[in-house]
Amino acid sequence: MAYKEKECEQCHQKHTKRGRFCSRICSDEANRGRRWTPEQKAAVAEGLKQWHATSETAEVAAHNFISKGLHKEPDPVPPPTKSPLQSNQFVQDGDLWTTD
């Protein structure tokens, strides 16, 4: 499927590809030069603060980030959830089976 002809915002080459850029390289180059405003930085920081304060996985994520794999102990894993199946039930090929 061909798209209408347009000019790449980075290298100004004509192309008929999807999107604003002619290639991934041009897209990466354009986004690399993007600058965050102080308001954007504050919004991201506030969102991360809320996530760290309320998320159950935030403690594990923080531990994994800080440890950088240097601890000999395995990283914490959340406990397995209880199975909704009864002791005499099992699932095979997407079907629920009950044993006697």
Side-chain angles (χ1 to χ4, degrees):
M1 169 185 259
Y3 295 92
K4 68 178 183 175
E5 187 174 290
K6 51 195 158 273
E7 186 176 303
C8 176
E9 293 179 15
Q10 183 67 22
C11 68
H12 306 289
Q13 179 181 350
K14 301 273 185 199
H15 67 92
T16 56
K17 298 177 183 177
R18 186 175 76 181
R20 301 170 7 205
F21 303 101
C22 66
S23 66
R24 188 172 184 174
I25 294 172
C26 282
S27 172
D28 290 346
E29 287 293 324
N31 287 327
R32 188 173 295 131
R34 188 174 102 183
R35 300 288 182 247
W36 291 75
T37 65
E39 293 82 17
Q40 289 173 320
K41 289 181 182 180
V44 170
E46 184 60 34
L48 285 173
K49 286 178 189 175
Q50 288 179 356
W51 179 74
H52 277 285
T54 59
S55 175
E56 294 177 5
T57 58
E59 186 177 336
V60 174
H63 170 77
N64 292 343
F65 177 77
I66 293 169
S67 70
K68 298 179 186 173
L70 300 176
H71 294 313
K72 293 182 179 178
E73 301 171 6
D75 288 340
V77 177
T81 58
K82 185 178 177 188
S83 174
L85 300 177
Q86 296 175 2
S87 62
N88 66 339
Q89 295 178 324
F90 65 96
V91 176
Q92 183 176 358
D93 298 327
D95 296 326
L96 178 64
W97 294 84
T98 305
T99 59
D100 292 330

